[in-house]
Amino acid sequence: MKKSLLFAAALLTCGMAGAQTVYFSQDYEAEGATPDWTSSVGGRFTPTIFEKEGNHYLGVNQEERNNNGCVLTSTSLQGKVEAGANFTMTFDVKIGSSNNQSPVEFSIYDAENKNKMLHLTATGTYATDYTINDNSSDKVTISEGGGKGIDDLMWKSVTLSRKEGLTYLTVSNKETGTVIYEQNLVATLSEAGGLGKMEFITKRYNANFAIDNVVVRELADGDVPQAAATSYTIKYQDEQGNKLKDDVVVNTVVGTTISITADQIAPFYTGEGDEQQKWLFKNQTPGEDIVAAEEASDNVFVLTFRKAGVYNYSVTVDAGMGSTIYTDKGFEQDEVYAAYPLYVNVGGTLWTKAATNKEYRQVFTLTQDNQELAITGYENTEIGGVVYYAEAENLEGLTAAVNGNTTIRSSNAGSAYNAGEENFKLTTLPAGQYKIYAVACAVRAYSEGFKFLAGDNDILNIDTSTANNWLAANATFTLTGESDIFMAPGGNTNAAIDFVYIQDTTVTGIESVKNETAGAAIYNLAGQRVVKTQKGLYIQNGKKYMVK
């Protein structure tokens, strides 16, 4: 059982196996102690010294956590341990994950500040565990969940030792001393060694961080296992024995059983563009033990990969009659994001599906060629008489917005603007009464706004002077004769049109009939025979009927 950090630190002066040289210590207890961490953005996650039950520690201002992310940095360790030197570092830490966008990260760099000795990454928002050094198989419980306050998180005591290029890690519950995670050998991300800066990174809101009792000292007997260092080499080849990528050399100790990790057998890609190829692991099972490490010269393991298939797929919207909105292709086992529109025009009636996680796209895994990815859940809105509907990004001649927020916050995961100098024609309408409805996505304020015209006459303006992900506007207009409908020049990659539709409101009091079987003869309320192959608006003998 590991001792608590405070007790272990006290032993340094008493002598456990003789006094050890202390390279650095910081417990924030000294009178007038000030934070030795800095924030990359003023007013965000400001480092602050707290006191609780007589103990002082460094945390972040709790009133500034509901904020956009930033980077907290400490350079106090810089230069205290030279590159290549053996050492032990102990500290107490609280790390809470974010409740909005991941990952939250905590890192300790080497003396050159180029690579990391220790890198903890939250597994997601509201995460309760962190991966260690980018190895998805190694996970340690650090957080108690996203958005927690300082007092809601548990202190963890961490011991990090380095000896002859190998890294050893133990994480314990500070209060009880219970070991939460212990690994005699962690693949280090640093070859240089030594100690440099420490970092805490949060991408968005309500993450938390606190640190205390940092001690860096000379390596002592018992800090690491008494075993001889060695290494093993992993080779990657295809089914014909051809080399696929560079060998990987992993440090270990003699006698350690080698197991295939998820990272070592993860799919990877070679080549670019049309020459790109995906490779899938073939010849062993994840987690399977291979052999105990004996000597470096014998420790060579070959992993065989096969070519992944290239699969075509179609994205089909199931709204009323169903329709394929686009086709594409990807590699076997790829996750693809199938975008979908907010509305689908089914015979003059709009059907709709709400956004998933604020984005109009669903995730699918490609498992076979010619796979159909069905977007379901559309419902009839009863918005009828629709004579024109378009997702702006699908209109040839408009310029697609490429800003990440503009795209993912728009229906069909896309929007577009008129980058030309001329009006862009949407459609041509006959004389009648109409209603136009359009939505813009402006993640940055755009003072010029958007304008729609019937011929030379303005029929709709959208004010985008205030940034908003959903700027909707509508207006009615009357045409005395046939007229072209235009979208005026304007917009940019941060402000674009999401979609637009136009309704014919010329006839009021549209009668409703129900089409039980598509293509069958049906009758309107007046008993007249009406043949309709799709649901929606239908004109018969000068009268309009809504087929449901």
Side-chain angles (χ1 to χ4, degrees):
M1 185 69 67
K2 296 288 182 181
K3 304 289 186 183
S4 71
L5 183 57
L6 288 178
F7 182 50
L11 287 176
L12 294 178
T13 58
C14 299
M16 181 168 55
Q20 304 301 316
T21 300
V22 176
Y23 301 123
F24 175 82
S25 66
Q26 171 62 280
D27 61 8
Y28 303 102
E29 300 295 339
E31 185 175 350
T34 58
D36 57 346
W37 289 67
T38 58
S39 173
S40 63
V41 182
R44 295 185 185 176
F45 296 84
T46 301
T48 304
I49 293 182
F50 293 85
E51 185 275 332
K52 185 174 183 181
E53 298 177 355
N55 178 53
H56 294 80
Y57 62 92
L58 182 138
V60 294
N61 189 325
Q62 297 298 288
E63 297 179 357
E64 294 175 354
R65 293 190 309 115
N66 185 17
N67 207 319
N68 270 316
C70 69
V71 179
L72 300 180
T73 305
S74 170
T75 58
S76 296
L77 300 180
Q78 187 68 47
K80 302 299 190 299
V81 179
E82 296 180 357
N86 297 329
F87 67 88
T88 290
M89 178 180 179
T90 58
F91 58 96
D92 296 342
V93 69
K94 292 184 177 186
I95 305 178
S97 61
S98 170
N99 65 355
N100 181 276
Q101 297 187 13
S102 62
V104 169
E105 303 177 51
F106 174 76
S107 301
I108 300 175
Y109 282 78
D110 62 20
E112 298 179 355
N113 279 333
K114 293 181 179 179
N115 299 299
K116 300 167 185 175
M117 295 283 297
L118 179 66
H119 183 212
L120 304 177
T121 308
T123 54
T125 56
Y126 294 93
T128 57
D129 55 15
Y130 283 60
T131 59
I132 302 171
N133 287 8
D134 301 333
N135 186 337
S136 59
S137 299
D138 291 337
K139 295 180 182 178
V140 57
T141 300
I142 293 289
S143 166
E144 304 302 321
K148 296 289 188 178
I150 285 280
D151 291 339
D152 297 317
L153 302 179
M154 183 184 299
W155 280 110
K156 306 295 195 304
S157 294
V158 179
T159 300
L160 177 70
S161 298
R162 182 179 175 89
K163 181 180 181 181
E164 299 173 359
L166 302 180
T167 303
Y168 304 83
L169 178 68
T170 301
V171 181
S172 304
N173 179 320
K174 175 177 171 61
E175 182 178 0
T176 65
T178 302
V179 174
I180 298 170
Y181 183 93
E182 184 173 31
Q183 190 169 336
N184 287 337
L185 178 67
V186 174
T188 179
L189 301 181
S190 162
E191 295 180 359
L195 284 174
K197 65 182 179 181
M198 292 188 287
E199 276 186 344
F200 171 75
I201 301 175
T202 174
K203 299 298 176 70
R204 293 290 284 226
Y205 307 130
N206 285 314
N208 224 322
F209 170 72
I211 192 166
D212 196 12
N213 301 315
V214 182
V215 176
V216 183
R217 59 173 172 78
E218 185 181 3
L219 196 68
D221 291 341
D223 285 338
V224 297
Q226 298 298 312
T230 184
S231 64
Y232 63 93
T233 301
I234 300 174
K235 293 182 177 292
Y236 297 84
Q237 69 176 30
D238 64 14
E239 295 173 284
Q240 288 71 45
N242 300 310
K243 180 178 179 179
L244 293 176
K245 63 178 182 177
D246 292 341
D247 298 346
V248 174
V249 178
V250 180
N251 292 321
T252 186
V253 293
V254 172
T256 300
T257 299
I258 309 303
S259 299
I260 302 175
T261 68
D263 292 335
Q264 291 165 348
I265 63 171
F268 63 90
Y269 299 82
T270 58
E272 296 181 355
D274 293 338
E275 301 299 320
Q276 188 180 61
Q277 178 62 56
K278 180 180 180 180
W279 299 91
L280 298 175
F281 186 67
K282 178 185 177 181
N283 65 340
Q284 267 157 327
T285 303
E288 180 180 340
D289 292 340
I290 303 176
V291 69
E294 298 293 341
E295 299 177 1
S297 60
D298 297 329
N299 294 343
V300 177
F301 308 111
V302 178
L303 303 181
T304 301
F305 288 73
R306 65 173 178 83
K307 283 186 178 182
V310 178
Y311 291 162
N312 297 292
Y313 66 90
S314 60
V315 179
T316 300
V317 168
D318 182 14
M321 304 300 292
S323 61
T324 296
I325 54 176
Y326 62 90
T327 60
D328 206 339
K329 64 181 179 180
F331 287 112
E332 177 185 354
Q333 295 184 17
D334 272 0
E335 283 192 344
V336 295
Y337 292 87
Y340 59 87
L342 170 64
Y343 292 116
V344 176
N345 185 7
V346 181
T349 299
L350 296 184
W351 287 55
T352 190
K353 175 179 171 64
T356 302
N357 192 28
K358 298 184 180 180
E359 298 181 13
Y360 292 89
R361 59 182 188 173
Q362 288 182 202
V363 182
F364 295 88
T365 300
L366 297 183
T367 58
Q368 61 186 19
D369 196 17
N370 298 318
Q371 189 170 345
E372 181 178 293
L373 312 181
I375 308 292
T376 60
Y378 275 86
E379 298 179 351
N380 194 328
T381 65
E382 305 297 335
I383 299 174
V386 177
V387 294
Y388 179 82
Y389 173 81
E391 293 281 337
E393 67 278 0
N394 291 336
L395 296 175
E396 185 176 353
L398 295 183
T399 300
V402 295
N403 176 283
N405 287 331
T406 309
T407 53
I408 66 174
R409 293 174 182 174
S410 296
S411 166
N412 205 42
S415 56
Y417 58 97
N418 183 359
E421 297 180 356
E422 304 292 333
N423 291 335
F424 176 82
K425 181 180 174 181
L426 297 177
T427 187
T428 300
L429 298 175
Q433 298 175 8
Y434 299 93
K435 176 182 178 180
I436 182 172
Y437 182 95
V439 168
C441 179
V443 295
R444 301 287 186 273
Y446 176 61
S447 59
E448 297 180 29
F450 292 95
K451 181 187 296 185
F452 294 85
L453 307 95
D456 296 327
N457 302 314
D458 292 0
I459 57 175
L460 179 66
N461 291 279
I462 302 180
D463 181 6
T464 55
S465 58
T466 301
N468 198 307
N469 300 326
W470 183 272
L471 292 163
N474 68 86
T476 58
F477 62 98
T478 300
L479 299 180
T480 57
E482 185 178 88
S483 178
D484 292 335
I485 306 301
F486 298 102
M487 176 178 165
N492 54 52
T493 194
N494 290 301
I497 292 295
D498 187 350
F499 63 86
V500 56
Y501 69 80
I502 301 173
Q503 290 175 276
D504 184 344
T505 60
T506 304
V507 177
T508 59
I510 296 175
E511 296 183 76
S512 293
V513 292
K514 190 173 183 180
N515 186 7
E516 297 290 354
T517 304
I522 60 171
Y523 296 86
N524 63 23
L525 298 183
Q528 296 173 312
R529 185 176 184 274
V530 180
V531 178
K532 187 72 174 73
T533 58
Q534 290 187 349
K535 301 176 183 179
L537 185 67
Y538 183 72
I539 301 175
Q540 172 108 357
N541 298 327
K543 294 191 66 177
K544 295 188 178 183
Y545 304 96
M546 182 59 64
V547 180
K548 297 183 178 180

